[in-house]
Amino acid sequence: MSTPSSTAPEPLDPTRPAAVTAPAEAAPAPQRETAAADRSGAGGGLAARTNAEAETAAGADDAAQASGRTAEELARAAERKAAALLAPPAPARLGDVVPAPERVEPDASGDYLLSVDAVIRVSADPAAVAVAGQLAALLRPATGYPLPVADTTAPVPAGGIALVLTDEVALGAEGYRLDIGTDGVRIAAGTAAGLFHGVQTLRQLLPAAVESATPVTERWVLPGGSILDRPRYPHRGAMLDVARHFFGVTDVLRVIDHLARYKLNRLHLHLTDDQGWRIAIDSWPRLATVGGAGAVGDAPGGYYTRADYRRIMAYAADRHITVIPEIDLPGHTNAALTAYGELAPDRVAPPPYTGTEVGFSYVDPASERTYDFVADVLGEIAALTPGRWLHIGGDEAFKVPAEVYAGFVDRTQRIVAGLGRDVIGWHQIAPASHCDGRILQWWGTTGDDPVTAEAVRRGARLILSPGNHAYLDMKYAPDTPIGHDWAGLIDVRRAYDWDPATHLVGVPAEAVLGVEAPLWTESVTTLAEIEYMLLPRLPAIAELGWSPRSTHDWDSFRRRLAQHGPRWATAGIAYHRSPELPWSAPAMPVPAPRRPSPSGDPLEHPPVSPSSDPPVRPGTAPGQE
Ligand code: TNX
């Protein structure tokens, strides 16, 4: 990065108390406590229970009189109870995974105990070997075991974990099979991505203490049985807005880790907006140096150098995640215009913008210079981006007349096609012409839009990010300290309870490529705040994207998801302790409430009830919603 990273930006409101400590600075104490507390029968838990048993014994005579049982009988019962509490913890249930696996066949007699001399064996394929290395790196810190990685053909003792590439076509591009028995664990997949997803499942089946960064005394037991698992949709993503507030490379890498845990495979980076341009473009250098200088509320700006951006691409690719860069056009371009006034309709560079209004800026669609700019920028981004998609934004260009707008999008789509990439745009690009591979990203709140349905009939496919279910910048509840509510409040249940296949009227299930959860960052200023908004809702969107509809069950989901609280706490990840989930671990600190934002912020409205119809966003033009 060339300008300060935002890992510790100034709070937007200087009177606001500091937000939750960023995980890098998170005190280790709660992590250790959580790990200990979560191991039934160990550490503090043991002490507490022993005291409880002592109390039971002391009161035994009274109780004996009351129950009619002898004191000796009660003492023996208390002893049995104590023994049960001291017994090793039962392993997780095989199906206790988020997102829910397609098929689960538990085998109570097949629990596997990872031992200090276990070896990880892997097919001799560089991508598979890399996954084995990732598995070892996941397990070594908490277990303290050496876990060497060996070729499947190497003569090593049985009883370890094998990662095997197979030609089982049924597993598809991302599926895996996990078999756990007393004498070993095997993950089989057709691809390294499938092995990687299998590793994420295995990680969740180990005790929560596996998230500890330092060795923990634990019985590392995996529940016996088999899982067959494949994703429902090929596109399972999250979006991070690095334009409203800038987040440095290490923050983005950490978000990628969160995606990987939940088998998400796309990170959409919203790289440009009115408040900041966040990617260096060699042919238009002032975009980043001038356009990247600011952020909402005068927070520090910043941008990614080409090396930074490549680092993000590589880190994501190692986790089988494709990055989709977005250059938002023709609107949301004030930052670009501050750097190059020649792109503005009046050829005058506007001042930097640090507010949160939308829809006022646009590059001149009537100027040839604008198309030079679009071609240069998208050309450089395409050259840096290994993935197949370029996102051209297209939202909220309120000041551009409809026909001119459609012409601009047509031409920009042709530029993307000329670069050999497939175009994605917010669903406002629907009226433009069809082109091969065209994808619309739905962010409306109504579930019904004839213009989008018509574009689908002409061949477009859809990513679903309904504002009233998947927008993770919406508040959880009226008292959520950060976030908006223009699309309603989104608690975990609201994030979970919808079906991508039937969500949009007039759009057949086959046109849906998947789901994506956007996190806009007008009010989100730190990594901890990002995590607080993502967790626990991101796993809800991940489950919609991955799991077969037949597994969809709120009660099951909330129970499985609550088990992740101790995992996040142990890993030092901030999250919202949503009252809807049956948490068992101690709370993490949450971002401190802010004072109400200054009046005039178009994104701040009185809270609406989650059950009422969400209001249409103010300033949304007809046909743009
Ligand atoms: C709408 S969704 C926007 C963003 C805002 C967001 C805030 C979309 C394509 N545009 O510019 O950041 O609402 O929730």
Side-chain angles (χ1 to χ4, degrees):
M1 267 144 294
S2 300
T3 41
S5 137
S6 67
T7 41
E10 290 295 313
L12 199 54
D13 172 355
T15 61
R16 181 174 66 108
V20 61
T21 26
E25 305 148 22
Q31 302 180 20
R32 305 286 300 144
E33 274 166 29
T34 307
D38 223 46
R39 297 194 307 278
S40 36
L46 173 57
R49 281 161 192 149
T50 307
N51 289 342
E53 293 307 326
E55 274 166 32
T56 308
D61 284 338
D62 296 348
Q65 277 167 14
S67 70
R69 293 161 75 187
T70 66
E72 203 185 321
E73 279 168 345
L74 280 173
R76 263 203 299 275
E79 215 173 278
R80 276 198 301 277
K81 203 169 147 200
L85 288 167
L86 283 167
R93 287 195 272 172
L94 189 64
D96 282 359
V97 175
V98 178
E102 181 177 319
R103 204 182 317 150
V104 179
E105 289 169 18
D107 172 7
S109 64
D111 291 356
Y112 170 77
L113 177 67
L114 184 71
S115 62
V116 65
D117 56 358
V119 172
I120 298 174
R121 291 180 300 130
V122 62
S123 299
D125 169 284
V129 171
V131 178
Q134 288 167 318
L135 172 61
L138 269 179
L139 301 182
R140 282 179 191 141
T143 61
Y145 298 167
L147 298 169
V149 174
D151 198 283
T152 31
T153 55
V156 290
I161 302 174
L163 305 185
V164 185
L165 282 179
T166 67
D167 51 10
E168 221 180 311
V169 279
L171 295 175
E174 293 188 280
Y176 66 93
R177 185 191 294 280
L178 169 63
D179 295 299
I180 301 172
T182 49
D183 51 2
V185 173
R186 183 173 185 270
I187 302 176
T191 61
L195 292 178
F196 184 80
H197 295 317
V199 163
Q200 303 312 315
T201 294
L202 187 148
R203 177 188 199 179
Q204 289 187 22
L205 292 173
L206 283 164
V210 73
E211 301 293 338
S212 171
T214 50
V216 174
T217 304
E218 178 61 276
R219 292 186 83 247
W220 302 108
V221 184
L222 286 161
S226 299
I227 288 178
L228 172 77
D229 206 8
R230 287 171 299 196
R232 181 182 186 193
Y233 291 112
H235 184 111
R236 307 177 306 279
M239 188 209 80
L240 182 64
D241 169 10
V242 295
R244 269 52 179 273
H245 280 98
F246 180 63
F247 298 92
V249 173
T250 51
D251 291 354
V252 177
L253 303 190
R254 175 129 164 154
V255 168
I256 290 172
D257 285 337
H258 301 338
L259 268 55
R261 266 177 200 269
Y262 297 102
K263 303 187 174 77
L264 295 170
N265 63 355
R266 306 276 187 264
L267 172 67
H268 167 182
L269 280 181
H270 183 75
L271 288 168
T272 67
D273 214 302
D274 291 318
Q275 299 85 348
W277 182 285
R278 306 302 183 198
I279 176 77
I281 301 293
D282 282 352
S283 51
W284 297 71
R286 292 204 308 278
L287 287 171
T289 56
V290 176
V296 165
D298 285 323
Y303 63 87
Y304 307 122
T305 63
R306 296 164 73 90
D308 291 335
Y309 184 78
R310 281 204 191 91
R311 201 173 144 213
I312 294 171
M313 300 295 114
Y315 192 88
D318 285 348
R319 284 147 189 81
H320 304 279
I321 291 172
T322 303
V323 175
I324 300 174
E326 177 186 351
I327 302 297
D328 203 346
L329 297 163
H332 288 270
T333 38
N334 193 77
L337 301 180
T338 62
Y340 293 99
E342 66 202 81
L343 299 172
D346 60 2
R347 310 286 182 264
V348 176
Y353 184 66
T354 58
T356 57
E357 297 268 1
V358 295
F360 57 91
S361 62
Y362 60 102
V363 290
D364 184 1
S367 160
E368 278 309 303
R369 195 73 185 123
T370 290
Y371 297 96
D372 293 343
F373 157 79
V374 171
D376 291 345
V377 168
L378 293 178
E380 287 196 32
I381 299 277
L384 284 174
T385 307
R388 160 171 161 203
W389 300 278
L390 296 181
H391 199 305
I392 60 166
D395 56 318
E396 299 174 318
F398 298 143
K399 296 210 168 156
V400 184
E403 267 184 30
V404 178
Y405 171 87
F408 175 88
V409 172
D410 278 358
R411 209 162 152 182
T412 303
Q413 289 184 158
R414 285 200 295 276
I415 291 172
V416 172
L419 293 164
R421 304 303 165 96
D422 288 345
V423 73
I424 307 182
W426 298 105
H427 72 263
Q428 279 75 25
I429 71 164
S433 312
H434 181 68
C435 61
D436 278 352
R438 184 175 194 247
I439 298 170
L440 310 183
Q441 183 167 6
W442 170 258
W443 64 279
T445 56
T446 59
D448 186 2
D449 181 36
V451 183
T452 297
E454 164 60 17
V456 168
R457 272 193 291 280
R458 287 187 282 126
R461 284 175 304 161
L462 278 188
I463 296 166
L464 291 179
S465 303
N468 52 338
H469 292 284
Y471 261 35
L472 301 189
D473 60 322
M474 294 301 125
K475 292 171 184 269
Y476 291 89
D479 62 353
T480 304
I482 51 177
H484 312 305
D485 56 18
W486 66 261
L489 300 171
I490 301 184
D491 58 14
V492 183
R493 183 157 197 173
R494 195 172 180 93
Y496 183 70
D497 262 348
W498 58 287
D499 183 358
T502 55
H503 186 73
L504 260 190
V505 173
V507 169
E510 311 78 69
V512 175
L513 284 176
V515 292
E516 193 175 298
L519 180 61
W520 301 99
T521 59
E522 286 95 340
S523 71
V524 176
T525 63
T526 63
L527 173 63
E529 289 177 351
I530 291 177
E531 292 177 336
Y532 176 82
M533 297 307 263
L534 293 185
L535 300 171
R537 293 181 293 192
L538 183 64
I541 304 299
E543 179 145 321
L544 292 178
W546 178 281
S547 307
R549 190 66 189 172
S550 57
T551 65
H552 192 85
D553 175 4
W554 167 246
D555 284 330
S556 156
F557 178 67
R558 66 192 278 278
R559 188 186 55 74
R560 284 180 283 117
L561 183 58
Q563 295 169 34
H564 291 228
R567 290 171 192 276
W568 299 327
T570 305
I573 301 169
Y575 67 100
H576 170 54
R577 272 180 84 78
S578 160
E580 309 157 84
L581 303 185
W583 305 105
S584 60
M588 281 287 286
V590 298
R594 292 174 177 200
R595 294 190 318 159
S597 63
S599 60
D601 177 346
L603 295 169
E604 288 296 339
H605 304 288
V608 293
S609 140
S611 56
S612 67
D613 275 338
V616 171
R617 182 147 188 261
T620 304
Q624 295 266 345
E625 174 51 37

